[in-house]
Amino acid sequence: MEKQTDDRVKNKTKKQTRKKNKTESTEMQEKELKCITKNHENNEQKLIKEQKLFIEQNPDIFNNFKISIEINILAVILFMSALSSRFFKLDQPRNVVFDELHHGKYVSLYMKRTFFFDTHPPLGKQLIAAVAYLCNYNGQFKFERIGSEFSDDVPLLGLRFVPALCGSLIIPVAYQLMLELGCRHWCAALAAFLLLCENTLLTQSRFILMESILIFFTLCGLLFVLKYKRLNMKSPWALTYLIIASVCLTMATCVKYVGLLSWLLSLWIICRDFWVNHLGDKRLSDFTIFLCVVLRCIITFTISISIYFSVFFIHLIILNKAGPHDSVMTSAFQASLEGGLASITKGQPLHVSHGSQITLRHTHGRTCWLHSHTHVYPIKYADKRGSSHQQQVTCYTFKDVNNWWIVKRPERNTLAVENTKNPDGIKHGDIIQLVHGMTSRALNSHDVAAPVSPQNQEVSCYIDYNVSMPAQNLWKVEIINRDQFGDVWQAINSQVILTHLNSTQALKFSGRQLPDWGFNQHEVVTDKIISQDDTVWNVEEHRYTKSENEKERERELVAAEMIPSKGTKLGLWERFWELQYKIIFSSPNTQNVHSHMYSSEPLDWPLMVRGVAYWLSEHDNGQIHLLGNIIVWYSSTLCILLYLSFFAFYLLRQRRQIHDLSFDEWEQFKTIGEVLVVGYGLHYIPYFFIDRTLFLHHYLPALVFKILLCAAFMQHLANIVKAKLIPRFIFHLSLCIWILSVMYVFKKFIVFSYGTTPLTSKEVFKLRWKDTWDFIIHKP
């Protein structure tokens, strides 16, 4: 009995022991689990802290990750919207529209490799010509007048493709640019939307015009300048951005020289950022800063100069045949082309000698030839001054038999060249006479005031009136480029100054036009200033005098055109520099600024006082008229004024130690102004000092900056009202109404961008919202 009791006690004790051990084991497991869980939570918190610290230390990496996802999607949507609007019915109308008359003609000349002269760089035309070449365009269509119908063999889609593509790319590039300025996504989208709904940009993007190409490269260059500014001296990517920016800005300059204004803006941004953020950084040594500056300058200028030269070299290599604009260039340039002047000058004698028959061309500036005729100066001019009444000497802009002169040594009476194989060559410093070929009177000057430029001395062909006015017909030959072509006077190559021996004044083209008595030809005088462009002449056509008989000599001069045998060579560099000189100093448009019925002044542009008629249908009043979205124009003009007012207000408040904006908000507000306001001013103000015919489309690069500023200012207003419910509601409501009005006006006037909608006179008049808008309407 006792034994059974002991067994029960033992079993009970064992059970209790096992239960206790199990409880202890469970408690230990729970403790271990809690410990593991706590360690895991600690690790998670530590990992989160490390991630937060990494993000704080590397904000660019995180932002770039966001950009790669969000911006690309919106950019694609905006780009597709732009493509649909720019390429819709791109081949309509099938007529020449406004300046397609000029640019299309240049593209055709590229196809035929025929030289042309344009005051703008050639890149835009080259891009269009490249696509036209791929489309097998033969260049045979003649852009004769605005409204000419394109033939079926003209690939109009190909000709208009590049402007339309660039006009479409402007939209997403502007979106990215606003983000780079620190604007929010909705603000960047608003800016892109305003550009998308701007009727002038739509119109310019649909035809063979340059503005959309120019604006695209300008915005691209500015975008990468801002990217470079953000990473300057912080990342190796900065140099890549600087290289891309240099390429884009140079290409903008190679489309139109207005692109130089974008270069100035970019230099301002880079230099100011360097001055504010890097020059005072003590962590950078003087040598490091100097090295960075030199490296960036070398990269920028090397790339820019290389691209600029390459564009013009391609231009000159392609255009190797004579064309309609040859006369603008010097004789040497013309003679280097196939055909044209070369057909006259090839094979002519090289060295000018006693007895040479020559035409003397004004080398620089206006194309004209030294000329005389049997008519004499009037006895008295309109201002009552007296003249010499001698035979007139002028500069004539056309080829004429009266342009021929014979070179004569004073001591010799014969004019014929006796030995054509070894002629008596005229050298630098020789004294000569110039005898007019058709009248046999010598070039003369004397102490008589010139007819239109009384401060200069008159030039005439001497007539012996048996009065006390002796002949003064000796001239000294000075070859100014003898280091290149030698001391002997050469046809085509040598550039000479003819100095009057008695007065020591140089024969000069004055640039002024004679009255009716001088047949409106140009005045020739002598000037005390010897070395200047207008005193430089060169022999263009040249032959040797064969007969002493005057009548026989006249017959030779009348039939002076020669058969070519060998061309004159002019190096690529010489042609390049001459073309640069002609582009910079030529003045093809000397008309008054009001000469064109659709011209306008810079003061008219901000409020869009006038548009420009581009094309009118022959069958109805459907037309293309360059006219902007009036809501966008007036709003952006107002935002420019408001921004400047706010900026002045904030400065005054800060001077009073009152800070309405946080440091970051104020810095962004300043950056917006430094880029967009300065950009607007740089692209607008210079036109007040340009003496040429101007149109509304010259304002478009400045307009783009103004529209971007408008969107940025809307974001600033949103930041001001965000803390108050009612003002925020009113602002958002007003913003929605404003956006809807922009869309309404864009849709209303889109008929003037496409020109495909037949319009009645009444419908056109309904769209005349301002009295100054001049639309064309067919007479009933």
Side-chain angles (χ1 to χ4, degrees):
M1 192 72 177
E2 288 179 1
K3 187 176 180 180
Q4 290 178 351
T5 302
D6 290 337
D7 290 337
R8 282 197 300 267
V9 171
K10 287 179 181 179
N11 290 335
K12 186 176 181 179
T13 303
K14 288 179 180 179
K15 287 181 181 180
Q16 289 178 349
T17 303
R18 284 197 300 268
K19 187 176 181 180
K20 183 179 180 181
N21 291 337
K22 187 177 181 180
T23 302
E24 290 178 353
S25 176
T26 302
E27 288 178 354
M28 288 182 65
Q29 289 177 357
E30 288 178 354
K31 286 182 180 180
E32 289 178 359
L33 182 62
K34 287 181 180 180
C35 185
I36 292 171
T37 303
K38 188 175 181 180
N39 290 336
H40 182 68
E41 289 177 353
N42 290 337
N43 290 334
E44 283 184 343
Q45 290 177 359
K46 185 178 180 180
L47 181 62
I48 291 172
K49 287 181 180 180
E50 288 177 353
Q51 289 177 345
K52 287 182 178 179
L53 182 62
F54 178 78
I55 291 171
E56 289 174 359
Q57 292 176 348
N58 301 274
D60 291 338
I61 296 176
F62 186 69
N63 288 338
N64 286 337
F65 178 74
K66 288 177 64 179
I67 288 173
S68 65
I69 296 176
E70 298 180 19
I71 291 182
N72 288 340
I73 296 173
L74 285 174
V76 168
I77 294 173
L78 291 166
F79 180 50
M80 296 305 296
S81 301
L83 278 177
S84 62
S85 63
R86 271 59 178 170
F87 279 87
F88 177 70
K89 294 184 178 180
L90 187 61
D91 59 343
Q92 296 183 23
R94 288 195 64 86
N95 302 89
V96 177
V97 176
F98 194 58
D99 272 351
E100 284 189 331
L101 179 71
H102 304 295
H103 301 307
K105 188 178 295 183
Y106 296 150
V107 172
S108 294
L109 292 173
Y110 265 123
M111 298 298 103
K112 295 183 287 187
R113 305 193 68 174
T114 302
F115 178 80
F116 65 85
F117 176 79
D118 186 20
T119 54
H120 297 296
L123 179 61
K125 278 84 71 177
Q126 288 176 351
L127 294 175
I128 296 173
V131 177
Y133 176 78
L134 295 175
C135 295
N136 297 318
Y137 176 51
N138 56 22
Q140 296 304 315
F141 180 78
K142 296 181 179 179
F143 290 78
E144 296 178 333
R145 60 180 178 83
I146 296 175
S148 298
E149 186 174 355
F150 287 104
S151 56
D152 294 335
D153 61 340
V154 177
L156 196 52
L157 280 173
L159 290 173
R160 293 174 176 173
F161 176 81
V162 173
L165 178 62
C166 291
S168 303
L169 289 169
I170 287 172
I171 309 305
V173 171
Y175 176 82
Q176 298 278 12
L177 176 61
M178 294 300 287
L179 290 177
E180 202 64 40
L181 282 171
C183 296
R184 298 195 189 100
H185 289 280
W186 72 265
C187 175
L190 176 62
F193 169 78
L194 294 177
L195 293 176
L196 184 66
C197 294
E198 174 46 45
N199 299 73
T200 52
L201 294 179
L202 173 61
T203 304
Q204 289 295 118
S205 300
R206 290 180 46 79
F207 304 104
I208 311 173
L209 304 173
M210 298 294 111
E211 274 67 31
S212 61
I213 306 174
L214 168 68
I215 294 171
F216 166 68
F217 283 127
T218 296
L219 292 183
C220 278
L222 188 58
L223 170 63
F224 284 100
V225 165
L226 293 175
K227 286 181 176 291
Y228 163 77
K229 174 189 172 184
R230 176 167 52 84
L231 297 179
N232 190 10
M233 297 186 183
K234 298 177 183 177
S235 168
W237 277 101
L239 287 180
T240 303
Y241 291 148
L242 181 62
I243 292 171
I244 298 173
S246 301
V247 170
C248 292
L249 292 171
T250 307
M251 294 180 78
T253 304
C254 290
V255 174
K256 278 191 171 184
Y257 282 120
V258 176
L260 287 172
L261 302 176
S262 305
W263 255 120
L264 291 177
L265 174 62
S266 300
L267 288 175
W268 153 256
I269 295 171
I270 292 172
C271 292
R272 191 186 184 286
D273 175 68
F274 179 78
W275 179 269
V276 173
N277 297 322
H278 302 293
L279 196 59
D281 191 346
K282 291 293 185 180
R283 294 172 296 179
L284 300 175
S285 66
D286 294 344
F287 179 76
T288 301
I289 291 178
F290 174 76
L291 192 63
C292 289
V293 171
V294 171
L295 177 63
R296 282 153 175 77
C297 289
I298 291 174
I299 290 174
T300 300
F301 287 106
T302 301
I303 290 174
S304 300
I305 292 172
S306 300
I307 293 174
Y308 186 81
F309 282 6
S310 299
V311 167
F312 275 95
F313 283 174
I314 292 170
H315 178 74
L316 292 170
I317 290 171
I318 293 175
L319 306 182
N320 63 343
K321 298 180 180 179
H325 300 160
D326 291 357
S327 59
V328 176
M329 311 307 293
T330 63
S331 302
F333 193 104
Q334 294 179 64
S336 68
L337 301 173
E338 295 180 12
L341 175 65
S343 67
I344 299 174
T345 58
K346 288 177 182 177
Q348 69 182 12
L350 179 62
H351 293 114
V352 178
S353 66
H354 169 81
S356 286
Q357 298 173 1
I358 64 173
T359 60
L360 275 171
R361 185 185 190 273
H362 177 233
T363 302
H364 304 299
R366 178 176 287 276
T367 302
C368 62
W369 293 265
L370 189 67
H371 177 93
S372 186
H373 39 237
T374 56
H375 299 273
V376 297
Y377 291 112
I379 296 176
K380 286 192 175 182
Y381 300 123
D383 58 0
K384 306 304 180 183
R385 287 186 298 113
S387 77
S388 66
H389 201 49
Q390 299 279 323
Q391 182 173 305
Q392 296 175 15
V393 173
T394 65
C395 206
Y396 194 37
T397 55
F398 297 96
K399 295 293 185 72
D400 188 88
V401 69
N402 282 312
N403 296 348
W404 284 96
W405 299 81
I406 302 174
V407 179
K408 179 182 177 298
R409 290 193 182 275
E411 67 276 7
R412 297 176 62 179
N413 293 324
T414 62
L415 291 178
V417 177
E418 297 176 356
N419 186 355
T420 57
K421 292 184 178 180
N422 188 23
D424 181 15
I426 305 297
K427 297 181 179 179
H428 173 75
D430 285 357
I431 307 300
I432 64 167
Q433 292 175 315
L434 287 174
V435 179
H436 186 240
M438 298 302 293
T439 63
S440 298
R441 289 172 178 154
L443 186 71
N444 185 78
S445 186
H446 34 227
D447 189 16
V448 175
V452 186
S453 306
Q455 72 276 12
N456 296 118
Q457 191 167 282
E458 178 192 272
V459 175
S460 64
C461 277
Y462 182 75
I463 302 174
D464 187 2
Y465 287 123
N466 198 22
V467 294
S468 58
M469 185 177 285
Q472 298 181 19
N473 53 21
L474 299 179
W475 301 83
K476 182 180 179 181
V477 177
E478 298 182 37
I479 303 174
I480 62 175
N481 60 344
R482 61 186 181 278
D483 56 335
Q484 186 176 1
F485 294 104
D487 289 338
V488 181
W489 190 1
Q490 296 183 16
I492 302 293
N493 297 323
S494 296
Q495 296 179 2
V496 301
I497 294 176
L498 297 172
T499 306
H500 188 237
L501 200 62
N502 298 81
S503 63
T504 66
Q505 297 186 26
L507 186 71
K508 175 188 174 182
F509 163 76
S510 74
R512 306 187 71 177
Q513 204 166 15
L514 296 172
D516 292 339
W517 55 257
F519 307 98
N520 301 115
Q521 296 175 16
H522 290 84
E523 181 188 44
V524 173
V525 299
T526 61
D527 197 305
K528 294 178 181 179
I529 302 174
I530 305 297
S531 298
Q532 53 178 307
D533 285 347
D534 286 328
T535 61
V536 180
W537 305 80
N538 69 272
V539 172
E540 187 168 272
E541 300 172 53
H542 179 214
R543 61 182 293 161
Y544 290 145
T545 303
K546 298 177 182 179
S547 174
E548 290 291 344
N549 184 278
E550 186 175 341
K551 294 296 182 183
E552 184 67 27
R553 194 165 63 238
E554 288 180 9
R555 284 194 292 271
E556 289 178 6
L557 293 173
V558 170
E561 186 166 327
M562 306 180 70
I563 299 173
S565 62
K566 186 178 181 182
T568 302
K569 292 184 178 180
L570 190 69
L572 193 61
W573 277 102
E574 288 87 351
R575 286 190 288 159
F576 169 79
W577 288 115
E578 180 178 331
L579 185 57
Q580 296 304 300
Y581 179 89
K582 294 291 183 180
I583 289 175
I584 294 171
F585 294 103
S586 66
S587 53
N589 190 351
T590 57
Q591 300 176 352
N592 187 275
V593 73
H594 300 291
S595 59
H596 195 284
M597 65 179 297
Y598 285 102
S599 64
S600 54
E601 297 181 1
L603 283 175
D604 299 333
W605 297 340
L607 298 181
M608 202 170 57
V609 175
R610 311 196 68 202
V612 184
Y614 273 16
W615 172 81
L616 177 66
S617 173
E618 295 179 355
H619 311 290
D620 50 63
N621 288 307
Q623 58 189 281
I624 295 171
H625 199 97
L626 186 69
L627 203 66
N629 189 317
I630 194 170
I631 301 296
V632 175
W633 283 60
Y634 278 60
S635 301
S636 54
T637 300
L638 178 62
C639 285
I640 282 279
L641 299 176
L642 288 176
Y643 177 89
L644 294 175
S645 301
F646 273 56
F647 189 79
F649 173 76
Y650 289 143
L651 285 178
L652 290 173
R653 296 269 289 178
Q654 289 179 12
R655 190 64 179 170
R656 299 290 298 167
Q657 302 300 318
I658 303 172
H659 299 278
D660 300 287
L661 303 177
S662 66
F663 177 79
D664 291 338
E665 289 175 332
W666 172 242
E667 287 299 314
Q668 187 190 16
F669 191 76
K670 286 196 304 180
T671 301
I672 294 295
E674 289 168 1
V675 176
L676 301 182
V677 176
V678 174
Y680 174 74
L682 278 175
H683 288 79
Y684 176 48
I685 295 174
Y687 284 105
F688 286 92
F689 307 98
I690 294 178
D691 185 20
R692 57 167 293 184
T693 304
L694 297 173
F695 297 93
L696 186 64
H697 61 77
H698 290 114
Y699 185 61
L700 294 186
L703 174 68
V704 170
F705 284 95
K706 189 169 69 168
I707 292 175
L708 298 180
L709 177 70
C710 179
F713 190 75
M714 291 297 174
Q715 175 180 292
H716 184 68
L717 292 179
N719 291 337
I720 293 175
V721 302
K722 67 180 179 181
K724 299 179 181 179
L725 181 61
I726 295 177
R728 186 171 72 244
F729 173 77
I730 295 173
F731 172 78
H732 289 160
L733 179 62
S734 302
L735 186 63
C736 291
I737 295 172
W738 177 64
I739 291 174
L740 291 174
S741 66
V742 168
M743 295 174 63
Y744 171 77
V745 174
F746 174 69
K747 184 177 181 299
K748 190 78 173 175
F749 285 88
I750 203 170
V751 292
F752 287 154
S753 295
Y754 290 113
T756 57
T757 305
L759 298 173
T760 64
S761 301
K762 186 179 292 186
E763 289 172 331
V764 174
F765 274 117
K766 284 184 178 178
L767 293 173
R768 194 167 182 254
W769 289 6
K770 297 185 71 171
D771 294 336
T772 53
W773 292 355
D774 298 324
F775 301 142
I776 302 177
I777 299 176
H778 283 298
K779 292 182 179 179

